Amino acid sequence: MKKLLTLFCCIATLSAIAQHGFKADKPIFVDPIEDGAADPAIVFNRNKNKYFMFYTNRRAKTENLGGVAWVHGTKIGMASSINGAHWKYEGTCTFEGFNEIPENEITYWAPDVVYHKGLYHMYVTIVPGIFEGWYHPRFIAHYTSKNLTNWKFQSKLTLASERCIDASVFQLPNGNWRMYYNNENDNKSMYYADSPNLYDWKDCGKKVIDTRGEGAKIFQWKGTNWMIIDSWKGLSVFQSDDLEHWHIQEKRILETPGTGKDDAVKGGHADVIVQDDKAYIFYFTHPGRTPENNGIDNHNTRRSVIQIAALTYTNGVISCDRNKNVSINLNPIK
């Protein structure tokens, strides 16, 4: 009888988890080495049957770095999760084949990863050096991988200027691919390029939206298309029926500081995962950048963490309550 009761309890527990999910950590991830996780991008690792998070790995802990050198010289960090609620550090990516400058002088920012026909494609921003200032060249590079850990260089993309960052790649209804990115030389405006095969890209040379911003993320939810961008005062939300004409939502999300651990500041550069009609936003914060720390530059104000919130859809408007606990149980993708 005891064994039978135990079995029933286990079944009830599994049923509750399947229905409601696991309570997500708060914050959901902190890089244990550099303490500077930002710009998350999440993809399912079909080899390991886990979700992988890729992120900019800012050097928040490193001392004696002048200016903004701490956001340069960065690797792409990795973390894994079987359910989306708890994440484990997996080290950094290995990149091979780009020989223009030594590997230890390359800065990697803001990865985006897509899976297509047995191969993973990463589009990552490269800054060719480690600099103390912001105004230096950067470009978007294409890498491929079969295991999500070791990446082979494919090409350096020719886009609208010599200062382009933050690729966001998605597939169009006709099977072709589109990349939204930030053209820093045009007042940090959004541009796009198209490709039939993920290798050959044609820059379309025109703005997508009028709003300035970076770190675009495009996703489908509730029967339509959405784009979220980091507008440096929370995240702006856009909706489109045709992926050509975008309509801005009046109210931004993640603009008002939260009350949870490391969440009492605005949210930044995010990814969105949609599953079972639910949508979860993974964003980053600089917990130490509170009003009383304005103008202070130290480990506390440099450090960044990854947070999660559930999105809500009401009468055509997306919102999220970042103070509400998130229950999540992401399913494998075949």
Side-chain angles (χ1 to χ4, degrees), residues 134-139 161-165 182-185:
W134 288 112
Y135 200 84
H136 296 277
R138 38 265 216 154
F139 58 88
S161 78
E162 72 279 6
R163 299 183 72 246
C164 296
I165 65 170
N182 178 283
N183 180 6
E184 293 198 311
N185 276 2

Side-chain angles (χ1 to χ4, degrees), residues 97-102 106 128 139 153 156:
F98 179 68
N99 300 316
E100 288 188 15
I101 60 175
I106 298 177
F139 58 88
F153 177 74
K156 174 180 175 181

Side-chain angles (χ1 to χ4, degrees), residues 65-313:
L65 294 175
V68 292
W70 63 280
V71 301
H72 292 83
T74 54
K75 306 293 184 182
I76 296 300
M78 300 182 295
S80 68
S81 175
I82 60 173
N83 52 35
H86 317 296
W87 293 82
K88 176 185 175 184
Y89 179 66
E90 294 282 356
T92 57
C93 295
T94 299
F95 293 100
E96 299 176 348
F98 179 68
N99 300 316
E100 288 188 15
I101 60 175
E103 178 65 23
N104 62 358
E105 296 179 13
I106 298 177
T107 293
Y108 295 98
W109 287 345
D112 191 37
V113 181
V114 297
Y115 174 82
H116 184 59
K117 294 184 177 179
L119 198 61
Y120 299 96
H121 298 257
M122 180 186 288
Y123 298 87
V124 62
T125 301
I126 285 182
V127 183
I130 300 173
F131 304 107
E132 295 187 3
W134 288 112
Y135 200 84
H136 296 277
R138 38 265 216 154
F139 58 88
I140 295 170
H142 176 204
Y143 287 81
T144 57
S145 174
K146 292 184 178 180
N147 62 10
L148 281 175
T149 301
N150 305 102
W151 294 88
K152 181 180 178 181
F153 177 74
Q154 296 296 330
S155 68
K156 174 180 175 181
L157 274 59
T158 301
L159 299 172
S161 78
E162 72 279 6
R163 299 183 72 246
C164 296
I165 65 170
D166 293 0
S168 180
V169 177
F170 60 99
Q171 193 165 28
L172 296 167
N174 64 7
N176 290 340
W177 298 84
R178 178 158 293 171
M179 173 190 296
Y180 287 163
Y181 67 92
N182 178 283
N183 180 6
E184 293 198 311
N185 276 2
D186 185 12
N187 198 31
K188 293 190 72 65
S189 298
M190 300 298 300
Y191 276 61
Y192 76 91
D194 283 345
S195 172
N197 54 18
L198 290 170
Y199 291 88
D200 304 303
W201 290 91
K202 179 183 178 181
D203 189 80
C204 297
K206 62 179 181 181
K207 298 178 182 178
V208 178
I209 55 177
D210 291 332
T211 306
R212 298 170 65 241
E214 61 189 21
K217 179 61 187 181
I218 293 84
F219 60 99
Q220 292 183 322
W221 190 42
K222 300 297 184 180
T224 190
N225 305 296
W226 302 93
M227 174 166 57
I228 290 178
I229 67 168
D230 186 347
S231 48
W232 312 294
K233 46 189 175 182
L235 305 181
S236 297
V237 181
F238 300 80
Q239 181 272 333
S240 174
D241 292 325
D242 58 7
L243 295 168
E244 295 284 348
H245 305 89
W246 293 93
H247 310 284
I248 191 169
Q249 180 174 295
E250 181 178 353
K251 190 172 182 179
R252 291 181 291 271
I253 62 174
L254 300 175
E255 180 175 11
T256 302
T259 59
K261 182 180 178 182
D262 286 348
D263 205 25
V265 292
K266 65 185 178 182
H269 192 139
D271 196 2
V272 176
I273 299 297
V274 177
Q275 199 168 94
D276 297 332
D277 202 41
K278 297 178 180 179
Y280 305 92
I281 185 164
F282 294 77
Y283 59 99
F284 85 94
T285 65
H286 280 290
R289 293 189 178 180
T290 54
E292 59 268 25
N293 289 334
N294 186 38
I296 297 175
D297 181 27
N298 57 25
H299 173 218
N300 182 47
T301 58
R302 291 176 175 182
R303 68 181 295 263
S304 53
V305 303
I306 308 299
Q307 303 278 7
I308 186 175
L311 295 180
T312 301
Y313 175 88

